[in-house]
Amino acid sequence: TRKRQRYVEKDGKCNVQHGNVRETYRYLTDIFTTLVDLKWRFSLLIFILAYALTWLFFGLIWWVIAYSRGDLEHLGDHTWTPCVNNLNGFVSAFLFSIETETTIGYGHRVITDTCPEGIVLLLLQAILGSMVNAFMVGCMFVKISQPNKRAETLVFSSHAVVSLRDDRLCLMFRVGDLRDSHIVEASIRAKLIQSKQTQEGEFIPLDQTDLSVGFETGDDRLFLVSPLIISHEIDERSPFWDVSRGQLERDDFEIVVILEGMVEATGNGVGARCVCLWGRRLLGTR
């Protein structure tokens, strides 16, 4: 068996890397999707930094207000009304910032009504804190609810086979679902990916050609309760019509199978690369 570099891995991940991307600012214009697409370690790092930097920023402002008003110079003076009671340094200002943004409210440190700048800052931090919570929690929820793990229980046969079925030469593979919960509106597609040279001499390195798996008859719409055998008839319209067994073994191509559906209002997509075996049949139901 020749070692080939896959275009789509067995777990459905595309083996494509984007290089020489100059307009990187476009990723920032859609920052929500960019954060969702990040790896978990980077997402958790940004999640922690978003809260930590916000708390530090507003904690510094609370400390500046206390310092500029002279509250830190009148500690223990009961005749002096500070902006925030019991705020005696940067650490306490940082803790007050956390209590304000997270609405913990221990009651030991509390803002007074003689500090208008503090009241304005309190409103700003409450509004900004709500926005940070909505944005970051939304990113985490979307990332957790992605259908990648659900697709792990969609199993394709290790090989695709080419053999006769009802006296017609067909390319066949099996797909099944390991879970008891069904996939609603499941549909399946197949793509042939190989290099191609046009009549004008243009070379197309990754040309994609549809393989008919029952789109005309509706057989591509699956009721995936038990393992099913998906069949592609090799007729005059098939790209394999003029391909012999020997050429099939020598040619460098890839078949990508994509199964899509809805699982509890979440779309699932999965891709797999199949290796063709000539003259075999799929046996068993496992």
Side-chain angles (χ1 to χ4, degrees):
T1 303
R2 291 181 299 170
K3 183 65 175 179
R4 298 176 179 176
Q5 185 177 10
R6 295 180 182 272
Y7 181 65
V8 177
E9 299 292 345
K10 274 291 187 180
D11 56 2
K13 295 181 180 178
C14 294
N15 192 18
V16 177
Q17 295 181 352
H18 297 282
N20 196 24
V21 180
R22 299 179 180 179
E23 299 179 351
T24 54
Y25 67 90
R26 294 181 180 272
Y27 293 105
L28 298 178
T29 57
D30 188 11
I31 186 65
F32 186 85
T33 305
T34 301
L35 292 178
V36 171
D37 290 340
L38 288 177
K39 295 182 179 180
W40 268 108
R41 55 179 177 268
F42 297 117
S43 296
L44 292 177
L45 178 62
I46 293 176
F47 185 85
I48 294 173
L49 288 177
Y51 285 102
L53 293 178
T54 304
W55 296 336
L56 285 171
F57 174 73
F58 282 101
L60 179 62
I61 297 180
W62 285 114
W63 179 83
V64 169
I65 291 177
Y67 179 82
S68 60
R69 283 172 51 89
D71 295 342
L72 302 180
E73 300 174 359
H74 296 80
L75 297 177
D77 186 358
H78 299 288
T79 61
W80 180 265
T81 303
C83 182
V84 179
N85 290 327
N86 301 304
L87 195 152
N88 51 23
F90 178 75
V91 175
S92 60
F94 175 69
L95 292 175
F96 180 71
S97 175
I98 297 176
E99 296 168 10
T100 301
E101 192 165 329
T102 58
T103 65
I104 294 176
Y106 289 117
H108 182 66
R109 282 173 288 271
V110 59
I111 189 171
T112 62
D113 56 0
T114 60
C115 182
E117 60 272 27
I119 296 175
V120 174
L121 181 60
L122 180 67
L123 295 175
L124 291 176
Q125 186 172 4
I127 294 173
L128 183 60
S130 299
M131 295 173 61
V132 172
N133 287 332
F135 189 83
M136 298 309 301
V137 173
C139 287
M140 291 294 105
F141 177 79
V142 172
K143 194 170 183 64
I144 292 173
S145 61
Q146 283 183 321
N148 298 338
K149 296 301 180 182
R150 178 62 178 90
E152 294 292 334
T153 56
L154 296 174
V155 182
F156 289 85
S157 55
S158 299
H159 300 86
V161 300
V162 178
S163 61
L164 291 176
R165 196 179 203 191
D166 293 332
D167 201 28
R168 292 176 296 181
L169 196 62
C170 297
L171 182 145
M172 294 174 288
F173 56 90
R174 180 182 282 119
V175 60
D177 190 4
L178 300 181
R179 290 190 178 274
D180 294 332
S181 58
H182 304 318
I183 297 181
V184 182
E185 293 294 331
S187 62
I188 195 164
R189 295 182 291 127
K191 292 279 188 180
L192 173 65
I193 300 177
Q194 64 178 161
S195 300
K196 175 184 177 181
Q197 188 169 5
T198 64
Q199 297 179 358
E200 294 78 15
E202 179 186 1
F203 178 75
I204 304 176
L206 294 173
D207 183 63
Q208 299 184 12
T209 305
D210 280 323
L211 296 179
S212 177
V213 289
F215 177 77
E216 298 84 358
T217 60
D219 291 338
D220 62 327
R221 313 295 293 185
L222 306 180
F223 183 47
L224 200 58
V225 178
S226 61
L228 300 175
I229 294 179
I230 311 301
S231 176
H232 163 69
E233 182 179 351
I234 301 179
D235 54 13
E236 294 84 353
R237 298 175 298 175
S238 173
F240 297 114
W241 177 249
D242 297 326
V243 180
S244 63
R245 175 179 178 177
Q247 185 179 356
L248 186 68
E249 295 175 349
R250 294 191 304 269
D251 284 349
D252 189 7
F253 66 91
E254 189 167 336
I255 297 176
V256 177
V257 180
I258 304 170
L259 191 148
E260 298 175 329
M262 299 294 292
V263 180
E264 297 178 353
T266 302
N268 289 335
V270 65
R273 178 181 184 267
C274 304
V275 180
C276 295
L277 299 179
W278 191 278
R280 305 287 184 87
R281 286 185 174 87
L282 293 169
L283 303 177
T285 58
R286 293 186 298 172

